[in-house]
Amino acid sequence: MHTNSKGLRLDPHGLLKDVAEVIDRETLEPLVGESIVHPRQFTRRSVVALARLSALLETKNVEVDKPLDGKIAITAFFEASTRTRLSFESAMLRLDGKVLSVPDGQVTGIAKGESLADIGEMFNTYGDVVIMRHPDTDSVDRIRQNLQRPLINAGNGSGHHPSQALIDWFALLKWRPQLCTSDCPPDQRVHLGIIGTPGSMRAVKSFLRLSLMFTGAVSKITLISELADPVGLELTEPIEESPIPIEIVNDVQEVIGDLDVVYVNSIAFLGDDYRRMDNRYKLQQSSGLKENAVVMHPLARNDELSVDLDLTNHNLYFAQAAGAVFVRQALLATVLGRLDRISSTGI
Amino acid sequence: MHTNSKGLRLDPHGLLKDVAEVIDRETLEPLVGESIVHPRQFTRRSVVALARLSALLETKNVEVDKPLDGKIAITAFFEASTRTRLSFESAMLRLDGKVLSVPDGQVTGIAKGESLADIGEMFNTYGDVVIMRHPDTDSVDRIRQNLQRPLINAGNGSGHHPSQALIDWFALLKWRPQLCTSDCPPDQRVHLGIIGTPGSMRAVKSFLRLSLMFTGAVSKITLISELADPVGLELTEPIEESPIPIEIVNDVQEVIGDLDVVYVNSIAFLGDDYRRMDNRYKLQQSSGLKENAVVMHPLARNDELSVDLDLTNHNLYFAQAAGAVFVRQALLATVLGRLDRISSTGI
Amino acid sequence: MHTNSKGLRLDPHGLLKDVAEVIDRETLEPLVGESIVHPRQFTRRSVVALARLSALLETKNVEVDKPLDGKIAITAFFEASTRTRLSFESAMLRLDGKVLSVPDGQVTGIAKGESLADIGEMFNTYGDVVIMRHPDTDSVDRIRQNLQRPLINAGNGSGHHPSQALIDWFALLKWRPQLCTSDCPPDQRVHLGIIGTPGSMRAVKSFLRLSLMFTGAVSKITLISELADPVGLELTEPIEESPIPIEIVNDVQEVIGDLDVVYVNSIAFLGDDYRRMDNRYKLQQSSGLKENAVVMHPLARNDELSVDLDLTNHNLYFAQAAGAVFVRQALLATVLGRLDRISSTGI
């Protein structure tokens, strides 16, 4: 029912079988009532726990239990993004929560004469959780000066977009459940390529942070970028500390034939404007992908991905998008402390 | 309670009495799960069935049965229209459905870097039905490339606006229930006048399509327009095939005294801009309407209709507007397969 | 739980103890089904009754009784105000009501070709109560030409903002419950200062109207303004008729040390634009406030109030904001005739 129209279709049951406890409450407990602002708040274990919970939500009709009954989310989008806003709002509504929507905080006057700190104060009595997107990286800290409710960072400038990274890994783990553990059979491990600029683009930066946690499953990461330094300051240490080997190349052709997973988000933020990569970085059927390689993209795709990939089995991006609402359901149910209303029996 | 403040007030009971089955499930069944994009999907029989269902919903408090419980509609308005958007959203909420709202798709970034096909793919997991308005006529086809949920076309460029035409006919059938059948008594048949340009304006085009189905009830149709060809390509065949005589005139005064129903929507889309008709086409108390003639308008009225008609019994347009939410309830309950939750007993 | 992050925290229980009937249904009954457009519709008694009802709603979990089940509010904001809109919408959702939202009526086309009278007609069938903000003072009269549902005026040009004034007095009465009665002990009476221009600014105008009703509680009112006549036409009579002495000064320093309550909203509407008062009118820790004086502000604060007051006990404005949703819940439950669903037992 809830599946994508084209490309690979992923079965969530693979993540649920042979698992001692489908809902790993012990691992998720520390996230109850917490803000979700940065991928470093997650561990490989909690990423897997959230993916399993998402798979459960995809599999089972939990709506009848009204898990978020009486809870209100505020979606405060100071930078418009219909895709992300509707995805969170759908997640709330599907679990019988409610939504206060600010589709475009920049134009509807919320920012006139109000600091983000004052907006946070206002939100304390309006809702139970705040989902914010904002063009400024420090917006997360500013609103949290007064905000006493959990905040979910849905993108802060060139900062992070943690729920997107969870969505990306939910797709990868559904596609190949063996990646959950560090004793993944060698022939199931993946060589992961990222076409983009993790240093300045939040989606791919958050994805890389999570990917570095999957040792023994990701055999190698190749960054493909035309920039001299696509990595940036924040990622330097996590990359150095990770046992996963990382290389940087600037020619897609050089590596494409060796990649099992290709994550594309080739736009880059330079100075104060966006710059698209050269056409050479656009992926299409003729790009020379490995037979079983999958292509990921956080979408919107702009010109980065040819539609000629849509009907192929390389297309994991539609399945990735199709999982977004379940991941956000899992995150909201966890943060709002309503895991007890979700039963794992009868899947 | 749910009636208009001024003008004719229509009693929905006339549509419900002496009817074998109030809800004609057999006729409505083919619409379950279907997109509603063009008036040719309807027959006179299904128009009457939907009007009866609308009358039932107007008469009876069905909200307690929560007919659309658990269903989510996405209102995707790439061309802003508060009237139509709120009308659909009210219909969803009244039946206990839920709404994801995109009040202005053009400015909130939904269209940045995303094709309508990709937007359709995204909507697959967000909602259960999509209600779209878009300035492009081919938008309906484009979004349906990937969309697997029913689409309700709420206006596509110069294309169609099928739910508006149903609303128009709901008002006409409440006003004169004898029009439901082809053996309408001759003195109850109507000479219908349309001031406008069906060829390029979707509301009046859809209305004309439905009107052509009401043989034996509509005795004659007169199009009143200052354009040489107000009909356009699409309507040529249906007009030729219909047994209802059709004439075109360009002087309102010539025919006004003979019309039983005057439908006004005189704005025209020419080239790439709107053009209002001349002031001569504006209707008012002094226009010489027949004593019992009724005036219809899809609203907003702009300058086409004088407020001096509001307090008269010519004013059917307020009653027409007052029926909109019920028709959209009927359409949504049908498309979403929830007619079984609506009982026709106890009206 | 629902309290502010900084400044004074107000306990609603003070308003509920030693009271014969917590919900004064007799006083509130005349407001059922009525529009709320002007503070003159209130009496001191109904202000106190609404404050007690708000305190009850703050104290008790009434959501389980779904007091506004099946009711739809339309928030029609022709002038954007996220703070006020979300506050009303949260109030509806908290009581299980539903919302049709028009975040920005000016840009989403609602006003194109439609008079406010026609918009009022449209709203008759869409919702059960309309909450409107509009830049024109006469907008309230215009929409009510056809609107048959209760209207709550959420700000009409330089007119009024009655719910804001109720919020202001809810905070004052929670802070000092003795102000409810005219036999308030002399040492508990307050000298109230208003930095602003009640004549042209709706929030402070509505607040002053209510304040004039609190004889025997407000011992004196001082208006502080750089304008020659900050009072304007409408307020002249109420001020003359009130037994509360009123003075006008233009130097904050002259009176600040004598004020128990300082209400700040120093922006002024002059001609057709806003003018901010001089920096001398900005309040801060070093302004020489009395030790126990409290500062109020309807927010957004712009530059009128220094953040260095936030952490002090002068800060009543955060507590004031924290009460807004409860007051709007009380108002909506009253207007929509659902007081019978709110029980005053078990507080």
Side-chain angles (χ1 to χ4, degrees), chain A residues 189-205:
Chain A
R189 293 180 194 167
V190 294
H191 179 186
L192 170 64
I194 297 177
I195 304 181
T197 317
S200 69
M201 294 304 295
R202 60 196 175 210
V204 73
K205 193 200 288 179

Side-chain angles (χ1 to χ4, degrees), chain A residues 106-119:
Chain A
Q106 295 297 53
V107 300
T108 56
I110 199 178
K112 286 180 203 150
E114 292 221 90
S115 65
L116 272 175
D118 278 14
I119 289 169

Side-chain angles (χ1 to χ4, degrees), chain B residues 1-6 63 80-83 85-87 89-90 93-94 96 104 300-302 318 321-322 325, chain C residues 70 72 98-102 107-110 112-114 118 121-128 145-146 148-149:
Chain B
M1 179 68 174
H2 285 290
T3 197
N4 39 302
S5 72
K6 294 181 178 70
E63 296 165 35
S81 165
T82 308
R83 177 177 284 276
R85 177 176 68 84
L86 291 188
S87 165
E89 294 184 355
S90 183
L93 297 183
R94 290 274 184 221
D96 218 60
D104 195 342
R301 70 169 96 188
N302 298 295
F318 277 5
V325 173
Chain C
I72 298 178
K98 295 165 184 178
V99 172
L100 291 175
S101 191
V102 186
V107 299
T108 56
I110 198 178
K112 287 180 202 150
E114 293 223 86
D118 278 13
E121 180 67 34
M122 157 172 80
F123 286 167
N124 283 329
T125 51
Y126 290 4
D128 302 289
Q145 282 171 41
N146 292 348
Q148 297 174 311
R149 307 290 175 148

Side-chain angles (χ1 to χ4, degrees), chain B residues 14 16 24 32 42 44 55-56 123 128-129 143 179 183 229 245 250 269 284 306 338:
Chain B
L16 301 175
D24 182 354
V32 174
F42 299 113
R44 179 187 195 146
L56 177 69
F123 285 168
D128 302 289
V129 60
I143 197 167
L179 299 176
D183 59 353
D229 174 22
N250 66 19
F269 193 75
Q284 49 203 20
S306 167
R338 288 288 175 85

